[in-house]
Amino acid sequence: MEESGQVDQSEDDAETFPREYVEKLRQENGKYRQRAQRADELAHRLHRALVVADGRLHDPTDLDFDEAHLDDGDALTEAVADLLARKPHLAARRVTGDVGQGATSGKADVNLLGLLGGR
């Protein structure tokens, strides 16, 4: 019976790795996880930039991230169109016409007497 206990212990020793090797593998794995996380961040930034370039949404974060949008421009266009069909209030708003601010083409004469008399 003692021999079987020793055999089990020697089998366990055969399956373990040196501490330095395990630490090296963990560090290497950590580097790969950091790279993958950085790649995910860059993919999200690219997706946001593509939605901004499309110009139809007010807020680019309204469209959920999808990796297919990065490879296929038509898929992104269809996704934006579908989102706007379901939620038109997310569309970008553009001011057009004269809103009374900014540079004007003509020089307006100000008549203070006319302004006071109009009251």
Side-chain angles (χ1 to χ4, degrees):
M1 198 154 207
E2 291 177 16
E3 289 180 19
S4 66
Q6 291 174 352
V7 171
D8 290 340
Q9 187 179 9
S10 65
E11 286 178 10
D12 289 339
D13 290 339
E15 292 181 7
T16 59
F17 296 99
R19 183 177 188 88
E20 297 83 24
Y21 181 71
V22 172
E23 288 175 357
K24 178 184 166 196
L25 288 176
R26 286 182 179 168
Q27 287 177 352
E28 185 177 336
N29 190 17
K31 289 178 189 176
Y32 289 132
R33 280 194 310 261
Q34 288 175 347
R35 284 184 189 169
Q37 183 179 11
R38 180 71 178 145
D40 286 344
E41 290 171 8
L42 292 174
H44 281 81
R45 285 178 57 192
L46 176 61
H47 186 265
R48 238 181 331 231
L50 290 172
V51 174
V52 167
D54 182 80
R56 292 185 289 163
L57 289 177
H58 178 70
D59 184 8
T61 59
D62 289 334
L63 183 64
D64 293 333
F65 175 78
D66 187 359
E67 260 187 63
H69 298 162
L70 301 179
D71 297 329
D72 187 11
D74 293 336
L76 176 69
T77 303
E78 290 174 13
V80 171
D82 180 52
L83 180 63
L84 289 176
R86 289 183 289 121
K87 300 179 180 183
H89 62 279
L90 298 177
R93 295 169 202 90
R94 291 180 184 84
V95 178
T96 58
D98 184 18
V99 294
Q101 286 185 313
T104 58
S105 59
K107 191 175 183 185
D109 293 329
V110 178
N111 183 356
L112 293 178
L113 187 59
L115 290 174
L116 291 174
R119 287 185 166 219

